[in-house]
Amino acid sequence: MNQRVKNFFISFLPMLFCFALQLVVSFFMIELFVVFILGSFTGSSFSELMEYILGAFTGQGLNSATLCIYGAASLLITAYWFKRFLKQKKSDFHEPGKPYEVLTEAGNTLKGYSLPRLIFGAVITGISLQIVANFLMAVIAIAFPDSLTLYETVSKAAGMGDNNISVFTLIYLFLGPIAEEITFRGLTFGYARRALPFIGANVVQAVFFGLIHVIPIQGVLAAVMGLVFGYLYGRTRNIWVTVLVHLAFNFSSFALELIPLGEVPATGFFIILLLSMFFAYVGVKLILSSVPVFSKGASADLKRS
């Protein structure tokens, strides 16, 4: 099989691994909860047992704990996988008339970066993208009302749509973005880049990033955000840059819940949207300007593609 074709199909593996790991962890946690329930049940009738089991399985505890364990396991495995990938000095897809590039020469360290500029840029970008995502979600919800209902139901079950957020959910909000960036920007994009030009590889990882979120409305938003994260990774070749933006994006959703955007008039919300897109652009420029001079050559790949 042609090496380029082989790498294209290998780029599917990180996403398939995530799906498989989710199933394994979910099955393990369900079995664990059943054992715990049977051991702690103090009722005397079958109907009481069924009510006790239903309460345990529909509560946030099981779902948030499952997410936390999945995030930890995914991070450990994909980090090891990514480390091995970076040791494989193989060229990216070569476009005629352009120099060879080696994606594994990525500088995954923040040494030499202008940290204040990088962090400020990541925060601005994350918050701005969150506002844009809320706008897109509102548009999709108008066209497909049931999609928003499903998203809200799943979010609450996972402990992310409630002010009483659990410790497990907080841990996952830290671990999840790191694992996802390694999986999709590091591995999926990395393997796809050996088979496709930058734009093609970026679209592949963004689509897969959307698919792993399963819920349609969340998947569409994830794919759009994935394109931005992939662009940043292509320019900086530093996974920690996209991790910072991803963390800012996730946690800014809690801050935005305190702002009644739904009560803002349509004209005002449209102005906020335009400002958010502008500040997202400013944030990206700040991030790119924070890259140390010795690693800016990595961005040449994107500029030539």
Side-chain angles (χ1 to χ4, degrees), residues 148-163:
L148 182 60
T149 302
L150 176 61
Y151 170 74
E152 290 176 343
T153 300
V154 174
S155 295
K156 289 180 180 178
M160 295 183 184
D162 197 312
N163 291 330

Side-chain angles (χ1 to χ4, degrees), residues 207-280:
V207 170
F208 289 172
F209 185 51
L211 290 175
I212 198 64
H213 286 80
V214 181
I215 304 170
I217 190 170
Q218 191 179 17
V220 171
L221 295 177
V224 174
M225 295 304 109
L227 288 172
V228 179
F229 296 154
Y231 172 83
L232 284 172
Y233 184 65
R235 288 296 303 269
T236 64
R237 296 195 174 186
N238 192 322
I239 205 69
W240 290 112
V241 170
T242 56
V243 165
L244 288 174
V245 178
H246 200 151
L247 285 169
F249 176 83
N250 280 14
F251 279 95
S252 62
S253 64
F254 296 104
L256 291 178
E257 286 181 2
L258 303 176
I259 304 174
L261 291 175
E263 300 176 9
V264 177
T267 304
F269 194 83
F270 184 69
I271 293 174
I272 293 174
L273 173 64
L274 291 178
L275 288 173
S276 298
M277 295 174 68
F278 171 73
F279 280 113

Side-chain angles (χ1 to χ4, degrees), residues 37-49:
I37 289 170
L38 294 178
S40 61
F41 178 65
T42 57
S44 57
S45 67
F46 180 75
S47 61
E48 288 178 336
L49 175 61

Side-chain angles (χ1 to χ4, degrees), residues 6-28:
K6 181 179 179 181
N7 281 317
F8 174 73
F9 283 109
I10 290 176
S11 70
F12 286 62
L13 292 181
M15 178 188 66
L16 296 176
F17 162 76
C18 287
F19 277 125
L21 185 62
Q22 286 177 0
L23 291 175
V24 171
V25 172
S26 297
F27 180 78
F28 170 77

